[in-house]
Amino acid sequence: MADGHDGPGDDGFDGLETPCLLLDADRMQANIARMRAHLDGMGVTLRPHLKTAKSLDVARRAMADPSGPATVSTLREAEYFAEGGVRDMIYAVGIAPQKLDRVGAVRRRWGADLAIILDSLAQAEAVAAWSRLQRDPLPVLIEVDADGHRSGVGPRDAERLIGIGRALAAGADLRGVLLHAGDSYGLSDPAALRAAAEAERVAAVTAATILREAGLPCPIVSVGSTPTARYAEHLDGVTEMRAGVFMIGDLFQAGVGSCAVDDIALTVLATVIGHQHDKGWIITDAGWMALSRDRGTARQAVDQGYGLVCDRSGRPYPDLIVRDANQEHGILALRQGSSAARPEIPVGARVRILPNHACATGAQHDRYHAVAGGRHTGDIWPRINGW
Amino acid sequence: MADGHDGPGDDGFDGLETPCLLLDADRMQANIARMRAHLDGMGVTLRPHLKTAKSLDVARRAMADPSGPATVSTLREAEYFAEGGVRDMIYAVGIAPQKLDRVGAVRRRWGADLAIILDSLAQAEAVAAWSRLQRDPLPVLIEVDADGHRSGVGPRDAERLIGIGRALAAGADLRGVLLHAGDSYGLSDPAALRAAAEAERVAAVTAATILREAGLPCPIVSVGSTPTARYAEHLDGVTEMRAGVFMIGDLFQAGVGSCAVDDIALTVLATVIGHQHDKGWIITDAGWMALSRDRGTARQAVDQGYGLVCDRSGRPYPDLIVRDANQEHGILALRQGSSAARPEIPVGARVRILPNHACATGAQHDRYHAVAGGRHTGDIWPRINGW
């Protein structure tokens, strides 16, 4: 095409039904290698969170070993990854007593070391009782609240920490503490991000020290979020880092400063289906069903709409975003106030959309089409959803 | 429980893994019957849009006949419903030339009358050429722009309407015009909604008249959106109404005035997994993955957060909403400024969340658990996703 933005057609995308997910394996491998080197330098194990990718093909590239370690966000993930050979997992969402039988089944059926988390005495008592009854001492991490973001015991709440630890001792297997500095997602200043990482570390070490001084075991000190993983300067006293979106990246993480736009490995391939020329709109077949309803960048310095539009080689068109989305329609337009030239993209042409949030966009799809060297390799990497 | 809000446990929900979708078949049947009576009174055919439900079990309750008519938003839906016996469908998203072979395959394999839509001369020429080459005169509706919402030819743009109509005549089968008054979603005043419905009708009849006066066929005059379907006072000149979300309802439509909160047939069943007592938070296992990222009510008079919280019988707790959501965590709290009493809901208890947007919340799941007479019937109604 005249503007040089369209590919030569030998990228292997012509045979794909749109909308669909493209996953750039080169970018992903680089993201993983960078994070691993960073954490190796601080002497901390990476326990990748598989909730973003939900794919065994991706997991095997992110984990140190085919057996793990890994983090999961649902028991469906635990079952899927256990079936695929992963043996060391933490289910990092507070446990409900009704789910213990299913946790036990994963442990038994696949011989997987699946650990759970909790933050209340009631849960600890239920888990200890289940462990005794089933003669399966469930491994448990106490969830500690790093920053007021959601769940967890306060890191200095010795009474509750020790109470939970002692209740678990009656049957379960106390493994340590787990934190997630979720408020770091709202930051973008490097100094503030470094401070958030240090605060997460200090909270973790504080809680671990309280447990140990009470004579309770705390072998694992687990922290994690992609921004704090990226900005941590040292992790003394921490044993492992959980992060997930770092492998793939997205516009939201680029807005935080956890990655560059050029690091983002995921795009939605879309086809142009129409125009409203007088309004400067290009309409595609990738609406919010393909992109997700996530508008996380709306609260950041640069609002990316429902995503940033690239040509089929993955190069962003200046200032062209998905300005609005219906269920199966994406409306592409220049950012408000932009003086960039509007590209001419005819009906039938393909574009690629960088997503706001890789976890949310991925969840709208059941597979990735792998890309390497700028071309679709032909490999399809299935991904799962559901609970 | 003390506040009388929890069910007696004979509702059949205890055996369900959470989060999951509950679909109240009684409410849904009442919603369908009400819409059908309203449209029958105006002499207009209901062509239900199956993009909300994406379920054959629901479709059979919504369609006049197991063979249709129906509307679909993806070719995956067209294939799924054709396999299930639906024979009269419109794929109501502007066609890309690459998709014509797949349209043709649905028509051939199942003998389905699958029609497509378009709004440009380039598309019309491609469709006519395909039709001649494949000897399958594709049925086409010209998409007309009712209100500037997204796609479509202007209703008074005679040159473009007739140009497209004549291009189609060279091989394809011009069936009529199709409109969607999408801007009605931004309204809430009954008078404005009545006016939007009338504007959609007038635009449809205007475009149909232009085609007919040019000697072109226009047997179908298809309009549709849940708000305009609900508020239309007469539909003279219109032959059919497409609407989808009306069957199920959601908080967004309640905010528009298309349904009452008590009409909403869909809830997400969730389990309490923790508390932050000092903040008044109740944490559940239904985060945005189960509820979707849709925050459509944020722009309405009543912001429902990520959803309105009900007890397991489906009765809303006063002012209790999902105030924030992470991937697998929902944070329940009273609305800002509420003086309602905060309910005590212990770990392990179940709640039901009314969704902002039935299309988006449904898409996060692969099945509905049917409820009738307030109890889970044991029936699972599968639903599809993808393209």
Side-chain angles (χ1 to χ4, degrees):
Chain A
M1 281 174 61
D3 64 0
H5 255 286
D6 213 357
D10 61 353
D11 52 21
F13 301 159
D14 282 336
L16 298 175
E17 298 283 336
T18 60
C20 68
L21 285 183
L22 301 179
L23 184 55
D24 187 318
D26 301 328
R27 288 187 180 189
M28 186 180 74
Q29 291 285 23
N31 294 338
I32 293 167
R34 197 183 314 116
M35 179 63 80
R36 193 169 291 288
H38 175 55
L39 296 179
D40 281 352
M42 293 187 287
V44 163
T45 301
L46 173 63
R47 181 186 285 277
H49 206 317
L50 304 180
K51 79 185 179 87
T52 307
K54 297 204 184 205
S55 154
L56 202 53
D57 295 282
V58 175
R60 287 185 178 138
R61 287 163 172 82
M63 297 185 299
D65 183 278
S67 69
T71 316
V72 297
S73 70
T74 65
L75 290 177
R76 173 84 183 85
E77 288 168 47
E79 291 160 352
Y80 165 77
F81 289 113
E83 175 72 27
V86 184
R87 293 289 173 265
D88 176 359
M89 290 183 276
I90 298 175
Y91 167 43
V93 175
I95 197 71
Q98 294 99 320
K99 298 185 183 181
L100 292 173
D101 286 344
R102 199 165 158 201
V103 170
V106 173
R107 294 170 53 77
R108 225 171 25 248
R109 175 166 172 192
W110 289 284
D113 182 17
L114 175 62
I116 58 176
I117 70 169
L118 52 77
D119 67 355
S120 71
L121 193 59
Q123 287 165 302
E125 287 169 347
V127 168
W130 187 97
S131 294
R132 288 193 302 273
L133 192 67
Q134 302 295 328
R135 294 179 186 167
D136 176 11
L138 287 182
V140 178
L141 294 103
I142 302 177
E143 186 170 13
V144 173
D145 184 11
D147 55 8
H149 181 67
R150 63 178 184 222
S151 305
V153 183
R156 284 167 196 80
D157 187 343
E159 187 182 334
R160 193 159 147 206
L161 284 168
I162 295 168
I164 291 171
R166 291 199 175 137
L168 289 170
D173 171 17
L174 176 57
R175 283 277 174 86
V177 293
L178 177 143
L179 298 84
H180 167 61
D183 274 5
S184 66
Y185 282 54
L187 305 175
S188 61
D189 171 57
L193 285 155
R194 284 192 291 271
E198 176 62 5
E200 185 184 35
R201 184 194 73 79
V202 168
V205 172
T206 301
T209 303
I210 287 170
L211 290 174
R212 289 172 185 146
E213 287 182 352
L216 291 162
C218 188
I220 297 182
V221 180
S222 181
V223 300
S225 80
T226 285
T228 57
R230 164 74 181 74
Y231 280 92
E233 294 183 298
H234 78 99
L235 287 169
D236 297 354
V238 166
T239 67
E240 64 174 41
M241 173 65 77
R242 307 174 328 280
V245 73
F246 78 91
M247 304 173 206
I248 290 179
D250 55 35
L251 293 169
F252 185 87
Q253 292 296 335
V256 171
S258 304
C259 68
V261 169
D262 286 347
D263 296 330
I264 301 172
L266 190 72
T267 47
V268 174
L269 184 69
T271 303
V272 173
I273 60 169
H275 300 84
Q276 293 290 26
H277 292 288
D278 53 333
K279 294 174 182 158
W281 289 357
I282 301 164
I283 320 262
T284 78
D285 62 357
W288 60 253
M289 189 64 83
L291 297 168
S292 92
R293 269 295 199 193
D294 197 285
R295 287 283 290 108
T297 60
R299 298 183 303 273
Q300 293 187 322
V302 179
D303 183 346
Q304 306 281 16
Y306 281 90
L308 187 59
V309 186
C310 304
D311 65 19
R312 54 196 286 168
S313 77
R315 187 153 47 109
Y317 290 104
D319 282 340
L320 191 66
I321 61 172
V322 184
R323 271 263 290 274
D324 203 355
N326 298 160
Q327 186 161 335
E328 300 290 350
H329 297 77
I331 298 178
L332 316 187
L334 295 176
R335 287 177 209 288
Q336 216 109 36
S338 168
S339 58
R342 176 152 33 90
E344 293 293 327
I345 315 181
V347 166
R350 258 99 195 254
V351 295
R352 291 167 67 179
I353 319 284
L354 290 165
N356 278 328
H357 187 172
C359 309
T361 301
Q364 304 299 109
H365 298 259
D366 66 0
R367 72 197 71 182
Y368 302 100
H369 298 272
V371 172
R375 293 180 169 75
H376 177 35
T377 61
D379 290 334
I380 289 172
W381 293 347
R383 71 185 305 293
I384 59 156
N385 284 309
W387 297 268
Chain B
M1 282 175 60
D3 63 359
H5 256 286
D6 213 356
D10 60 353
D11 52 21
F13 302 159
D14 282 337
L16 298 176
E17 298 283 336
T18 60
C20 67
L21 286 183
L22 302 180
L23 184 54
D24 186 318
D26 302 328
R27 288 187 180 189
M28 185 180 75
Q29 292 284 22
N31 293 338
I32 293 167
R34 196 183 314 115
M35 179 63 82
R36 192 169 291 287
H38 175 54
L39 296 179
D40 282 352
M42 293 188 287
V44 163
T45 300
L46 173 63
R47 181 186 284 278
H49 206 316
L50 304 180
K51 79 186 179 85
T52 307
K54 298 204 183 204
S55 154
L56 202 52
D57 296 282
V58 175
R60 288 186 178 137
R61 286 162 172 83
M63 296 185 300
D65 183 279
S67 69
T71 315
V72 297
S73 71
T74 65
L75 291 177
R76 172 85 183 85
E77 288 169 47
E79 291 160 351
Y80 165 76
F81 289 113
E83 175 72 26
V86 185
R87 292 291 172 264
D88 176 359
M89 290 183 277
I90 298 174
Y91 167 44
V93 176
I95 197 71
Q98 295 97 322
K99 297 185 183 180
L100 292 174
D101 286 344
R102 200 165 158 202
V103 170
V106 173
R107 294 169 53 77
R108 222 169 29 245
R109 176 166 171 192
W110 288 283
D113 182 18
L114 175 62
I116 58 175
I117 71 168
L118 51 77
D119 67 354
S120 72
L121 192 61
Q123 286 167 301
E125 287 169 347
V127 168
W130 187 98
S131 294
R132 288 193 302 273
L133 191 68
Q134 301 296 326
R135 294 180 187 167
D136 177 10
L138 287 181
V140 178
L141 293 103
I142 302 177
E143 186 171 12
V144 173
D145 184 9
D147 55 7
H149 182 66
R150 62 179 185 221
S151 305
V153 184
R156 285 167 195 81
D157 188 343
E159 185 182 336
R160 193 158 148 208
L161 285 168
I162 295 169
I164 291 171
R166 290 196 176 139
L168 289 169
D173 171 18
L174 175 57
R175 285 276 175 88
V177 293
L178 178 142
L179 298 84
H180 167 61
D183 274 4
S184 67
Y185 281 54
L187 305 175
S188 60
D189 172 57
L193 285 156
R194 284 192 291 270
E198 176 61 6
E200 186 184 34
R201 184 194 74 80
V202 168
V205 172
T206 301
T209 303
I210 287 171
L211 290 175
R212 288 171 185 147
E213 287 182 351
L216 291 161
C218 189
I220 297 181
V221 180
S222 180
V223 300
S225 81
T226 285
T228 57
R230 164 76 180 73
Y231 281 92
E233 295 182 298
H234 78 100
L235 287 169
D236 298 353
V238 165
T239 66
E240 64 174 40
M241 174 65 77
R242 307 176 325 281
V245 73
F246 79 91
M247 303 173 208
I248 290 179
D250 54 35
L251 293 168
F252 184 86
Q253 292 297 334
V256 171
S258 305
C259 69
V261 169
D262 286 348
D263 296 330
I264 301 172
L266 190 72
T267 48
V268 174
L269 184 70
T271 303
V272 173
I273 60 170
H275 301 85
Q276 292 290 25
H277 293 288
D278 53 333
K279 294 174 182 159
W281 291 356
I282 301 164
I283 319 259
T284 78
D285 62 357
W288 60 252
M289 189 63 84
L291 297 168
S292 93
R293 269 295 198 193
D294 197 284
R295 286 282 291 107
T297 60
R299 297 184 303 273
Q300 294 186 322
V302 180
D303 183 346
Q304 305 281 16
Y306 281 89
L308 186 59
V309 185
C310 304
D311 65 18
R312 55 195 285 169
S313 78
R315 188 152 47 108
Y317 289 104
D319 283 341
L320 191 67
I321 61 172
V322 185
R323 271 264 290 274
D324 204 355
N326 298 160
Q327 185 160 337
E328 299 291 348
H329 297 78
I331 299 178
L332 315 188
L334 294 176
R335 288 177 207 288
Q336 216 109 36
S338 169
S339 58
R342 176 152 34 91
E344 293 294 326
I345 314 180
V347 166
R350 259 96 194 257
V351 296
R352 291 166 68 179
I353 319 285
L354 289 165
N356 277 330
H357 187 172
C359 309
T361 301
Q364 304 299 109
H365 299 259
D366 66 0
R367 73 198 70 184
Y368 302 100
H369 298 272
V371 172
R375 291 178 170 76
H376 177 35
T377 61
D379 291 333
I380 289 172
W381 293 349
R383 69 184 308 293
I384 61 155
N385 283 310
W387 298 268

